[in-house]
Amino acid sequence: MDYARMRAIAEDLGAYAERLEGTWSVEIGPSGPVLAMVYPSKRHEGTIRRICKQLDAQLLGTHPGHICASGPEIEHPAIGRMRRPDAVVIPEATLDEEGLAVDATQALAVVEIVSPSDPSNDYDYDYDEKLADYPAMGIPHYMIVDPRTGTIQVHSDLCKGRYSNKEPYIFGDSVPFGPWTVETSEFRRYGRDG
């Protein structure tokens, strides 16, 4: 199926999801358009907010005119993929353009926070599918934060549509992420106090 047809199906699914209860996300993955219920938790959202605030402050110096946004879809029609990362570093001006998704070639980095809902699905989704899609889209930096285990993976160094470098970290570390640093001392694990 060509990308234009998959995109039309994804838009129909998005319109359908607006009539449903709960929070839904539409993406285009290896098997085509997918409608999935999203189970955001306060700690999930808190982690996204902390990362966006930290990156926004640093982007003023490293990439003026860029922001770390939570919410916009990114797409790469040539490879037939559309994803909605938890956070994405993009030029702020892209949010004023017409259309539903940001061109993935404009993204400098993406961040995914593993949700507490279904660990086996999130593992496959964030660690496998998206780990293949984001470098294929040409996105230079990818961070996966897993509040279930208190771990972080930073993927970088694009080489032939894959990341050739993976660095592991734990909550509490100062995490190098491209030209930025993410302080994780205030990140919270699921199911634990403090």
Side-chain angles (χ1 to χ4, degrees):
M1 180 181 321
D2 71 349
Y3 186 75
R5 179 74 182 125
M6 286 192 290
R7 190 68 167 99
I9 292 169
E11 288 177 20
D12 289 345
L13 286 171
Y16 174 73
E18 289 178 9
R19 298 188 306 263
L20 301 174
E21 289 185 29
T23 305
W24 296 83
S25 174
V26 178
E27 295 185 321
I28 300 173
S31 58
V34 176
L35 174 65
M37 189 165 201
V38 179
Y39 298 94
S41 73
K42 291 185 286 185
R43 287 197 174 166
H44 182 274
E45 297 304 308
T47 303
I48 294 168
R49 180 72 184 124
R50 285 181 179 96
I51 291 169
C52 286
K53 280 178 63 175
Q54 288 184 46
L55 293 180
D56 278 342
Q58 295 171 64
L59 285 163
L60 292 171
T62 64
H63 295 83
H66 285 69
I67 60 168
C68 183
S70 177
E73 295 168 340
I74 57 173
E75 70 178 340
H76 197 297
I79 64 166
R81 296 291 187 275
M82 181 181 73
R83 294 294 185 184
R84 186 179 198 125
D86 288 317
V88 58
V89 175
I90 52 175
E92 186 171 17
T94 61
L95 298 178
D96 293 326
E97 297 171 353
E98 275 296 316
L100 299 174
V102 173
D103 181 341
T105 62
Q106 296 187 54
L108 300 179
V110 292
V111 178
E112 295 287 358
I113 315 298
V114 178
S115 72
S117 59
D118 186 344
S120 63
N121 286 343
D122 252 13
Y123 184 86
D124 293 341
Y125 202 51
D126 292 334
Y127 287 92
D128 292 337
E129 277 193 23
K130 291 182 180 181
L131 189 53
D133 286 351
Y134 289 143
M137 291 175 152
I139 299 169
H141 306 284
Y142 176 30
M143 177 188 292
I144 305 170
V145 179
D146 191 341
R148 297 168 307 152
T149 60
T151 59
I152 300 160
Q153 290 183 9
V154 174
H155 298 270
S156 61
D157 298 332
L158 288 172
C159 181
K160 298 181 182 178
R162 296 180 184 268
Y163 295 117
S164 62
N165 189 38
K166 174 178 107 174
E167 295 293 330
Y169 299 93
I170 60 171
F171 284 18
D173 288 344
S174 293
V175 178
F177 184 46
W180 317 289
T181 300
V182 176
E183 298 296 338
T184 68
S185 61
E186 293 186 11
F187 288 12
R188 300 291 174 256
R189 292 183 62 180
Y190 298 140
R192 295 196 178 189
D193 290 331

